[in-house]
Amino acid sequence: MDNRWYAHWRHVFKLDPEKEIDDATLDAICLSGTDAILLGGSSGVTFDNTVDLLARVRRYSVDCALEVSTLDGAVPGFDGYFVPFVMNTKNADWLMLKQLEGLQQYGAFVPWEATAASGYIVLNEQSTAAKVSEAEANLSSQDVLPYVWLTDRLLHMPVLYIEYSGRFGDMSLLARVAAELDQAQLFYGGGIDSADKAAQAAKHADTVVVGNVVYDNLQAAISTVQAVKRMV
Ligand SMILES: CC(C)=CCC/C(C)=C/CC/C(C)=C/CC/C(C)=C/CC/C(C)=C/CC/C(C)=C/CC/C(C)=C/COP(=O)(O)OP(=O)(O)O
Ligand SMILES: O=P(O)(O)OC[C@@H](O)CO
Ligand SMILES: [Mg+2]
Protein backbone atom coordinates (compact mmCIF):
# COMPACT_ATOMS: atom_id res chain seq x y z
CA MET A 1 0.00 0.00 0.00
CA ASP A 2 1.22 3.50 -0.71
CA ASN A 3 -0.90 6.48 0.16
CA ARG A 4 1.78 8.94 -0.99
CA TRP A 5 2.61 10.47 2.35
CA TYR A 6 5.30 12.40 0.39
CA ALA A 7 2.92 13.74 -2.32
CA HIS A 8 3.24 17.36 -1.16
CA TRP A 9 7.04 17.38 -1.13
CA ARG A 10 8.41 19.89 -3.65
CA HIS A 11 11.84 20.40 -2.13
CA VAL A 12 13.92 17.87 -0.23
CA PHE A 13 17.39 17.98 1.30
CA LYS A 14 19.22 14.66 1.12
CA LEU A 15 21.72 14.20 3.94
CA ASP A 16 24.33 11.48 3.88
CA PRO A 17 24.75 9.71 7.24
CA GLU A 18 28.36 8.98 6.31
CA LYS A 19 29.21 12.70 6.14
CA GLU A 20 29.82 14.99 9.10
CA ILE A 21 27.44 17.92 9.53
CA ASP A 22 27.76 20.45 12.34
CA ASP A 23 24.83 21.61 14.47
CA ALA A 24 24.63 25.09 12.96
CA THR A 25 24.45 23.71 9.41
CA LEU A 26 21.84 21.13 10.39
CA ASP A 27 19.83 23.85 12.11
CA ALA A 28 19.84 26.00 8.96
CA ILE A 29 18.84 23.05 6.78
CA CYS A 30 16.01 21.85 9.02
CA LEU A 31 14.60 25.37 9.47
CA SER A 32 15.00 26.32 5.80
CA GLY A 33 11.39 25.68 4.81
CA THR A 34 12.25 22.50 2.93
CA ASP A 35 9.49 19.91 2.85
CA ALA A 36 11.58 17.01 4.08
CA ILE A 37 14.95 15.66 5.06
CA LEU A 38 15.83 12.41 3.33
CA LEU A 39 18.69 10.37 4.74
CA GLY A 40 20.57 8.37 2.15
CA GLY A 41 23.87 7.59 0.54
CA SER A 42 25.23 4.98 -1.78
CA SER A 43 28.09 3.83 0.46
CA GLY A 44 29.16 3.84 4.09
CA VAL A 45 25.63 4.05 5.52
CA THR A 46 25.45 2.08 8.78
CA PHE A 47 22.93 1.57 11.58
CA ASP A 48 24.94 3.80 13.92
CA ASN A 49 25.50 6.78 11.63
CA THR A 50 21.85 6.63 10.51
CA VAL A 51 20.45 6.51 14.08
CA ASP A 52 22.75 9.34 15.06
CA LEU A 53 21.61 11.64 12.26
CA LEU A 54 17.94 10.70 12.73
CA ALA A 55 18.13 11.66 16.41
CA ARG A 56 19.60 15.05 15.49
CA VAL A 57 16.99 15.77 12.79
CA ARG A 58 14.22 14.74 15.21
CA ARG A 59 14.81 17.94 17.20
CA TYR A 60 12.94 19.69 14.38
CA SER A 61 9.39 19.28 13.13
CA VAL A 62 10.36 18.70 9.48
CA ASP A 63 9.45 15.31 7.88
CA CYS A 64 12.33 12.86 7.99
CA ALA A 65 12.46 9.80 5.73
CA LEU A 66 15.06 7.15 5.00
CA GLU A 67 16.19 5.90 1.64
CA VAL A 68 17.21 2.37 2.56
CA SER A 69 20.35 1.73 0.55
CA THR A 70 22.26 -0.71 2.77
CA LEU A 71 21.08 -3.68 4.79
CA ASP A 72 22.89 -2.33 7.87
CA GLY A 73 21.15 1.01 7.61
CA ALA A 74 17.53 -0.13 8.05
CA VAL A 75 16.56 1.86 11.13
CA PRO A 76 13.09 2.17 12.71
CA GLY A 77 11.56 5.50 13.69
CA PHE A 78 11.46 7.45 10.42
CA ASP A 79 8.30 9.12 9.11
CA GLY A 80 8.64 7.09 5.92
CA TYR A 81 10.90 4.85 3.86
CA PHE A 82 11.92 4.63 0.23
CA VAL A 83 13.38 1.42 -1.16
CA PRO A 84 15.43 2.17 -4.30
CA PHE A 85 15.47 -0.13 -7.32
CA VAL A 86 17.99 0.66 -10.09
CA MET A 87 16.03 0.17 -13.31
CA ASN A 88 18.98 0.65 -15.69
CA THR A 89 21.29 -2.07 -14.46
CA LYS A 90 21.69 -5.63 -15.61
CA ASN A 91 23.03 -6.62 -12.21
CA ALA A 92 20.10 -8.31 -10.49
CA ASP A 93 21.53 -7.47 -7.05
CA TRP A 94 20.57 -3.79 -7.42
CA LEU A 95 17.50 -4.41 -9.48
CA MET A 96 15.85 -6.77 -7.03
CA LEU A 97 18.01 -9.12 -4.98
CA LYS A 98 19.29 -6.71 -2.30
CA GLN A 99 15.75 -5.55 -1.75
CA LEU A 100 14.59 -9.16 -1.44
CA GLU A 101 17.32 -9.86 1.10
CA GLY A 102 16.19 -6.75 3.00
CA LEU A 103 12.64 -8.05 3.16
CA GLN A 104 13.82 -11.51 4.19
CA GLN A 105 15.60 -9.85 7.12
CA TYR A 106 13.29 -6.98 8.07
CA GLY A 107 10.00 -7.70 6.29
CA ALA A 108 8.06 -8.21 9.53
CA PHE A 109 8.99 -4.70 10.72
CA VAL A 110 8.26 -2.70 7.57
CA PRO A 111 5.59 0.01 8.04
CA TRP A 112 3.97 -0.65 4.68
CA GLU A 113 1.66 2.39 4.74
CA ALA A 114 4.75 4.61 4.92
CA THR A 115 7.06 2.68 2.60
CA ALA A 116 7.41 3.27 -1.13
CA ALA A 117 9.46 1.80 -3.95
CA SER A 118 11.51 4.28 -5.95
CA GLY A 119 12.51 3.34 -9.47
CA TYR A 120 15.90 4.93 -10.04
CA ILE A 121 17.23 5.77 -13.46
CA VAL A 122 20.89 6.55 -12.77
CA LEU A 123 22.40 8.82 -15.43
CA ASN A 124 25.79 10.04 -14.19
CA GLU A 125 28.32 7.32 -14.97
CA GLN A 126 30.87 8.92 -12.63
CA SER A 127 28.63 8.79 -9.54
CA THR A 128 29.12 6.34 -6.71
CA ALA A 129 25.53 5.21 -7.19
CA ALA A 130 26.24 4.32 -10.85
CA LYS A 131 29.46 2.51 -10.00
CA VAL A 132 28.00 0.59 -7.07
CA SER A 133 24.94 -0.49 -9.00
CA GLU A 134 26.72 -1.00 -12.37
CA ALA A 135 24.12 1.21 -14.01
CA GLU A 136 24.11 1.60 -17.78
CA ALA A 137 24.07 5.33 -17.36
CA ASN A 138 24.95 6.61 -20.81
CA LEU A 139 21.38 6.99 -22.08
CA SER A 140 19.85 9.51 -24.45
CA SER A 141 16.36 10.98 -23.99
CA GLN A 142 15.11 8.37 -26.42
CA ASP A 143 16.92 5.47 -24.70
CA VAL A 144 15.50 6.42 -21.34
CA LEU A 145 11.83 6.15 -22.33
CA PRO A 146 11.48 2.35 -22.16
CA TYR A 147 12.83 2.48 -18.59
CA VAL A 148 10.26 5.15 -17.80
CA TRP A 149 7.41 3.12 -19.27
CA LEU A 150 8.58 0.01 -17.45
CA THR A 151 8.80 1.81 -14.11
CA ASP A 152 5.68 3.94 -14.36
CA ARG A 153 3.21 2.19 -16.62
CA LEU A 154 3.96 -1.50 -16.21
CA LEU A 155 5.31 -1.79 -12.69
CA HIS A 156 3.34 1.20 -11.35
CA MET A 157 6.14 2.28 -9.07
CA PRO A 158 4.98 5.31 -7.09
CA VAL A 159 8.27 7.20 -7.48
CA LEU A 160 10.46 7.57 -10.55
CA TYR A 161 13.81 9.09 -9.60
CA ILE A 162 15.99 10.69 -12.28
CA GLU A 163 19.38 10.51 -10.59
CA TYR A 164 22.42 12.49 -11.76
CA SER A 165 24.03 12.49 -8.31
CA GLY A 166 27.05 14.84 -8.41
CA ARG A 167 26.32 16.41 -11.81
CA PHE A 168 23.56 18.69 -13.10
CA GLY A 169 21.51 16.73 -15.58
CA ASP A 170 19.97 17.17 -18.98
CA MET A 171 16.83 19.23 -18.43
CA SER A 172 15.42 18.38 -21.85
CA LEU A 173 15.61 14.69 -20.91
CA LEU A 174 13.88 15.48 -17.61
CA ALA A 175 11.12 17.33 -19.48
CA ARG A 176 10.69 14.35 -21.81
CA VAL A 177 10.40 11.99 -18.85
CA ALA A 178 7.87 14.24 -17.12
CA ALA A 179 5.71 14.31 -20.23
CA GLU A 180 5.62 10.50 -20.38
CA LEU A 181 4.56 9.81 -16.82
CA ASP A 182 1.16 8.41 -16.09
CA GLN A 183 1.13 8.08 -12.31
CA ALA A 184 4.60 8.14 -10.73
CA GLN A 185 5.83 11.11 -8.72
CA LEU A 186 8.92 12.44 -10.49
CA PHE A 187 11.94 13.04 -8.26
CA TYR A 188 15.00 14.77 -9.71
CA GLY A 189 18.40 14.91 -8.01
CA GLY A 190 21.89 15.78 -9.12
CA GLY A 191 24.24 18.76 -9.16
CA ILE A 192 21.83 21.41 -7.93
CA ASP A 193 24.10 24.05 -6.45
CA SER A 194 22.19 27.27 -7.12
CA ALA A 195 18.72 28.77 -7.10
CA ASP A 196 18.76 28.88 -10.88
CA LYS A 197 19.45 25.15 -11.29
CA ALA A 198 16.85 24.34 -8.65
CA ALA A 199 14.26 26.39 -10.54
CA GLN A 200 15.13 24.66 -13.82
CA ALA A 201 14.62 21.22 -12.29
CA ALA A 202 11.42 22.34 -10.56
CA LYS A 203 9.89 23.20 -13.93
CA HIS A 204 9.69 19.49 -14.73
CA ALA A 205 10.12 17.44 -11.55
CA ASP A 206 7.45 17.07 -8.89
CA THR A 207 10.12 16.82 -6.20
CA VAL A 208 13.59 18.37 -6.35
CA VAL A 209 16.32 16.77 -4.25
CA VAL A 210 19.38 18.74 -3.15
CA GLY A 211 22.33 16.87 -1.66
CA ASN A 212 26.04 17.56 -1.93
CA VAL A 213 25.86 21.38 -1.96
CA VAL A 214 24.72 21.26 1.68
CA TYR A 215 28.28 20.21 2.52
CA ASP A 216 29.98 22.56 0.05
CA ASN A 217 28.07 25.84 0.16
CA LEU A 218 25.33 26.22 2.76
CA GLN A 219 24.01 29.57 1.50
CA ALA A 220 23.62 28.22 -2.02
CA ALA A 221 21.85 25.16 -0.60
CA ILE A 222 19.39 27.31 1.34
CA SER A 223 18.68 29.44 -1.74
CA THR A 224 17.31 26.38 -3.56
CA VAL A 225 14.34 26.09 -1.20
CA GLN A 226 12.61 29.31 -2.21
CA ALA A 227 13.63 28.83 -5.83
CA VAL A 228 11.66 25.59 -5.90
CA LYS A 229 8.75 26.89 -3.87
CA ARG A 230 8.37 29.95 -6.12
CA MET A 231 7.66 27.58 -9.01
CA VAL A 232 4.48 26.23 -7.34
C1 LIG B 1 13.93 -2.14 10.66
C2 LIG B 1 12.90 -1.37 9.93
C3 LIG B 1 11.91 -0.60 10.67
C4 LIG B 1 12.93 -1.37 8.62
C5 LIG B 1 12.01 -0.59 7.81
C6 LIG B 1 12.78 -0.03 6.71
C7 LIG B 1 12.59 -0.80 5.47
C8 LIG B 1 11.58 -0.31 4.53
C9 LIG B 1 13.36 -1.86 5.23
C10 LIG B 1 13.29 -2.57 3.98
C11 LIG B 1 14.48 -3.48 3.85
C12 LIG B 1 15.03 -3.42 2.49
C13 LIG B 1 14.14 -3.74 1.36
C14 LIG B 1 16.29 -3.07 2.31
C15 LIG B 1 16.92 -2.92 1.00
C16 LIG B 1 18.32 -2.56 1.19
C17 LIG B 1 19.09 -2.37 -0.07
C18 LIG B 1 20.52 -2.76 0.01
C19 LIG B 1 18.55 -1.88 -1.23
C20 LIG B 1 19.29 -1.62 -2.50
C21 LIG B 1 19.48 -0.14 -2.70
C22 LIG B 1 20.20 0.22 -3.98
C23 LIG B 1 19.55 -0.10 -5.25
C24 LIG B 1 21.41 0.83 -3.92
C25 LIG B 1 22.21 1.21 -5.12
C26 LIG B 1 22.75 2.65 -5.00
C27 LIG B 1 21.60 3.63 -4.96
C28 LIG B 1 20.73 3.80 -6.13
C29 LIG B 1 21.39 4.29 -3.82
C30 LIG B 1 20.26 5.25 -3.65
C31 LIG B 1 20.71 6.44 -2.87
C32 LIG B 1 21.66 7.34 -3.59
C33 LIG B 1 21.75 7.34 -5.03
C34 LIG B 1 22.38 8.14 -2.88
C35 LIG B 1 23.41 9.05 -3.45
O1 LIG B 1 24.52 8.58 -2.91
P1 LIG B 1 25.83 9.42 -2.69
O2 LIG B 1 26.64 8.71 -1.68
O3 LIG B 1 25.50 10.84 -2.43
O4 LIG B 1 26.49 9.25 -4.08
P2 LIG B 1 27.47 10.17 -4.86
O5 LIG B 1 28.80 10.00 -4.20
O6 LIG B 1 27.43 9.62 -6.24
O7 LIG B 1 26.99 11.57 -4.73
O1 LIG C 1 24.12 15.31 -4.21
P1 LIG C 1 23.46 15.88 -5.42
O2 LIG C 1 24.33 15.94 -6.61
O3 LIG C 1 22.78 17.18 -5.11
O4 LIG C 1 22.30 14.84 -5.80
C1 LIG C 1 21.20 14.69 -4.94
C2 LIG C 1 20.68 13.29 -4.93
O5 LIG C 1 19.96 12.99 -6.08
C3 LIG C 1 21.70 12.24 -4.64
O6 LIG C 1 21.08 11.00 -4.51
MG1 LIG D 1 26.06 12.51 -2.48
Side-chain angles (χ1 to χ4, degrees):
M1 192 174 86
D2 171 43
N3 56 11
R4 307 237 177 154
W5 37 274
Y6 46 85
H8 62 286
W9 293 1
R10 283 287 285 152
H11 181 283
V12 171
F13 278 123
K14 190 184 280 193
L15 299 183
D16 189 336
E18 196 193 13
K19 291 186 181 166
E20 301 236 330
I21 184 164
D22 62 54
D23 283 341
T25 304
L26 192 62
D27 194 64
I29 290 297
C30 292
L31 297 175
S32 64
T34 187
D35 295 309
I37 307 293
L38 184 56
L39 269 51
S42 46
S43 61
V45 178
T46 64
F47 190 87
D48 287 350
N49 60 24
T50 304
V51 167
D52 183 60
L53 190 51
L54 170 63
R56 293 175 66 203
V57 174
R58 277 287 181 241
R59 295 181 200 142
Y60 305 88
S61 61
V62 65
D63 284 358
C64 186
L66 176 66
E67 191 168 55
V68 195
S69 56
T70 61
L71 290 168
D72 288 349
V75 167
F78 282 86
D79 296 316
Y81 296 88
F82 294 98
V83 178
F85 294 75
V86 178
M87 307 310 291
N88 56 327
T89 179
K90 290 201 169 81
N91 184 332
D93 277 354
W94 306 103
L95 195 51
M96 199 182 71
L97 296 182
K98 294 276 182 194
Q99 298 81 349
L100 181 64
E101 203 182 332
L103 295 179
Q104 285 163 342
Q105 246 172 278
Y106 305 109
F109 308 104
V110 174
W112 293 109
E113 68 292 345
T115 299
S118 40
Y120 264 76
I121 303 179
V122 177
L123 294 169
N124 176 7
E125 288 167 293
Q126 305 306 320
S127 66
T128 314
K131 289 176 186 161
V132 166
S133 66
E134 297 175 33
E136 302 196 336
N138 187 17
L139 300 177
S140 68
S141 293
Q142 201 57 35
D143 297 336
V144 98
L145 295 182
Y147 293 100
V148 172
W149 297 326
L150 179 68
T151 308
D152 174 57
R153 297 183 185 222
L154 283 183
L155 296 175
H156 299 283
M157 286 197 178
V159 170
L160 187 143
Y161 196 131
I162 294 293
E163 172 66 290
Y164 279 92
S165 182
R167 169 158 78 78
F168 191 59
D170 176 348
M171 291 297 109
S172 63
L173 180 149
L174 186 65
R176 192 76 206 277
V177 171
E180 285 299 319
L181 288 179
D182 182 43
Q183 58 76 40
Q185 184 162 331
L186 180 57
F187 280 47
Y188 170 84
I192 294 178
D193 58 7
S194 67
D196 176 59
K197 286 179 185 155
Q200 288 184 53
K203 272 189 204 153
H204 312 297
D206 300 308
T207 304
V208 172
V209 183
V210 176
N212 292 335
V213 70
V214 168
Y215 302 93
D216 300 337
N217 183 341
L218 178 62
Q219 284 321 309
I222 298 293
S223 77
T224 65
V225 178
Q226 286 316 312
V228 169
K229 301 270 176 157
R230 270 199 300 274
M231 304 296 296
V232 176

